[in-house]
Amino acid sequence: MDVKAKMLRDDALKGKTIVVTGGGSGLGKAMTSYFLELGANVVITSRNLEKLQAVKEELEAATGGKVLPVACDVRDYEQVENMVKASYEHFGNVDVLLNNAAGNFISPTERLSANAFDTIIDIVLKGTKNCTLAFGKHWIDQKEREKVVLNIVTTYAWTGSAYVVPSATAKAGVLAMTRSLAVEWAKYGMRFNAIAPGPFPTKGAWDRLLPGDLKEKFDLAKKVPLQRVGDHQELANLAAYLVSDFSAYVNGEVITIDGGEWLKGAGQFNLLDQVPEEMWDMLEAMIRAKKGK
Ligand code: HXC
Ligand code: NAP
C-alpha cells in the first residue's frame, strides 16, 4: 500500500481560493502543497512572515500554484479582518477557510499560569472564532455562497485529555462551533466540517508534546491499532476531499483519521490484545468450565 498516493484528480480544486491558517509549517504546509497541486490558489497565514515567504517560494516552485503569504496573529480580530481584505484584494475571491493554526504544550494543569491557559484558548478557540466570524460575515454581507469551513481538531476534543487541558478545552469548543454553524449558516450556503487527526509527526507538535527523550519513551505508533503514525499525504487527501465540491453533501461532520487510536483507549477490553494466542485455549477452557455453576 502506498500511503503517499494522491487521491483526487488533478483539477479537483481548480478555480478555488483556500485560506490555510498556520499554513507555513507541519500539516498546514502539507495540505497547502496538495491544494496547490490540485489547482487551488492558497493564502497561507501565521505570525512569521519570513517563514511564510520561504514556504511560498518553495511550494510555488514545486507545484506551479499561486501562494499569498499574509502575517496574521489569529488572536487579533483586526489582523484577521486585514487578512480577509488582503486575500480578496489579491485573489478576488475566497472559497474555503481552513482553521489549522494551533498552540499547545504538555503540562500538569496546576503548573499553568492563567495567561498560559489563556494563550492556548486564544490561539485555538478564539483564533478559529475570529477567522470564522470575519469570513462568515463577509460571505453573508456579500451574498457569496458555496463556501466551506474546515476545522482541524483532535480526538481528545470529545474524550478530553490530561496534561493538555487548555488544548482539549479549546478543541472541544471548536468542535461545538463546527456542528452549531453547520446548521445555522447552511442557509447562507456555507458548510462546516472538522478533521480529528491522530498522531501525524510534525516538528511543531513533537517538540512541544514529546520533548527530549519522551519521543523514544512514548512511541505513539504503539498506541495505534494499525501500529503506525499517519502520513501527511493521508491527511491532505482527506482535507482536499472535504474542501472540494465532491463533499458538497457532507456538513457538520467530524472525520477521525487516527488508525483507530482513540477507540483503542476507550474499549474496556481492548487491553486483551496483550493476551498471547496460546493462552486463549486455557482461558476458553476456564470460562466453559463455569457453565451451569
Ligand atoms: C508552562 C508555559 C509553557 C510551558 C509557555 N508557557 N510554555 N507554561 N509550560 N511549556 C506560558 C508562558 O510562561 C506564558 O505565561 C504563556 O504560556 C504564553 O507564553 P508565550 O511564550 O508568551 O506565548 P507565545 O509566544 O504566544 O507562544 C505560544 C505557545 C508556543 C503556544 C506557548 O508554544 C507557540 O508559539 N506554539 C505554536 C505552535 C504549536 O504549539 N504547535 C503545536 C500544535 S500541536 P506567563 O504567565 O509566564 O505570561 C497540537 C496537537 C494536538 O495542537 C494533538 C496531538 C496528538
Ligand atoms: P505546527 O506545525 O506547530 O502548526 C501550528 C501552526 O499554527 C504553525 O504554522 C504556527 O505558525 C501557527 N500559529 C500558532 N499560533 C498562531 C497564531 N497566534 N496566529 C497565527 N498562526 C499561529 O503543528 P501541526 O502538528 O502541523 O498542527 C497543525 C494542526 O493539526 C493543529 O490544529 C493541531 O492541533 C492539529 N493536530 C495535529 C496533530 C499532530 O499529530 N501533528 C494531531 C492532532 C491535531 P507561527 O508559529 O509561524 O505563527
Side-chain angles (χ1 to χ4, degrees):
M1 184 187 55
D2 178 9
V3 294
K4 295 191 185 299
K6 295 174 182 178
M7 186 173 87
L8 294 186
R9 65 179 190 226
D10 286 351
D11 61 353
L13 299 178
K14 200 170 166 57
K16 290 197 188 295
T17 298
I18 303 176
V19 171
V20 181
T21 67
S25 67
L27 302 181
K29 182 178 170 188
M31 290 186 279
T32 296
S33 177
Y34 191 41
F35 296 162
L36 291 166
E37 282 184 50
L38 294 172
N41 301 316
V42 185
V43 181
I44 52 173
T45 79
S46 88
R47 295 164 297 179
N48 183 340
L49 187 58
E50 215 177 306
K51 180 175 79 180
L52 296 175
Q53 195 64 44
V55 168
K56 166 196 160 77
E57 276 152 35
E58 178 193 333
L59 295 186
E60 283 189 344
T63 65
K66 287 274 166 284
V67 178
L68 175 70
V70 180
C72 170
D73 188 326
V74 292
R75 292 172 284 195
D76 180 340
Y77 195 71
E78 206 179 317
Q79 289 188 40
V80 170
E81 286 189 307
N82 289 336
M83 179 268 284
V84 173
K85 204 161 159 259
S87 305
Y88 269 85
E89 274 170 11
H90 192 82
F91 285 124
N93 194 27
V94 173
D95 302 283
V96 177
L97 165 65
L98 202 175
N99 285 304
N100 165 78
N104 199 3
F105 51 78
I106 49 167
S107 175
T109 306
E110 67 277 15
R111 290 172 61 100
L112 295 173
S113 66
N115 185 46
F117 208 122
D118 282 350
T119 298
I120 304 306
I121 300 282
D122 286 352
I123 300 171
V124 177
L125 181 53
K126 259 182 76 179
T128 302
K129 177 273 291 177
N130 283 343
C131 296
T132 304
L133 200 59
F135 276 107
K137 278 171 177 286
H138 179 95
W139 291 329
I140 293 167
D141 288 349
Q142 299 302 313
K143 299 193 168 41
E144 294 180 22
R145 297 181 67 85
E146 296 186 15
K147 305 298 174 186
V148 175
V149 177
L150 178 61
N151 295 326
I152 307 298
V153 296
T154 72
T155 55
Y156 60 58
W158 57 89
T159 63
S161 176
Y163 302 102
V164 284
V165 171
S167 172
T169 308
K171 294 284 193 185
V174 173
L175 184 53
M177 201 192 311
T178 309
R179 289 171 166 156
S180 305
L181 288 175
V183 174
E184 188 180 332
W185 281 357
K187 61 178 176 284
Y188 297 120
M190 286 178 232
R191 58 190 183 89
F192 288 75
N193 290 297
I195 295 178
F200 282 78
T202 63
K203 184 165 165 39
W206 262 227
D207 284 355
R208 293 173 177 91
L209 302 174
L210 295 167
D213 64 1
L214 287 192
K215 284 179 196 60
E216 286 73 50
K217 280 204 176 111
F218 300 108
D219 179 359
L220 292 190
K222 295 205 176 100
K223 284 183 69 220
V224 179
L226 294 177
Q227 292 287 301
R228 67 174 177 88
V229 294
D231 187 274
H232 289 193
Q233 184 60 41
E234 295 179 290
L235 184 86
N237 283 339
L238 177 58
Y241 165 69
L242 287 174
V243 302
S244 76
D245 296 342
F246 296 113
S247 62
Y249 204 51
V250 182
N251 186 29
E253 261 315 311
V254 54
I255 301 191
T256 301
I257 177 163
D258 75 340
E261 183 200 35
W262 87 269
L263 282 169
K264 182 170 177 175
Q268 204 152 35
F269 287 94
N270 289 349
L271 79 180
L272 293 181
D273 258 357
Q274 291 163 32
V275 173
E277 198 55 40
E278 58 277 14
M279 205 187 268
W280 280 109
D281 285 343
M282 186 184 75
L283 293 173
E284 184 180 336
M286 285 164 74
I287 296 162
R288 284 181 184 278
K290 295 288 175 198
K291 196 174 174 183
K293 284 188 186 161

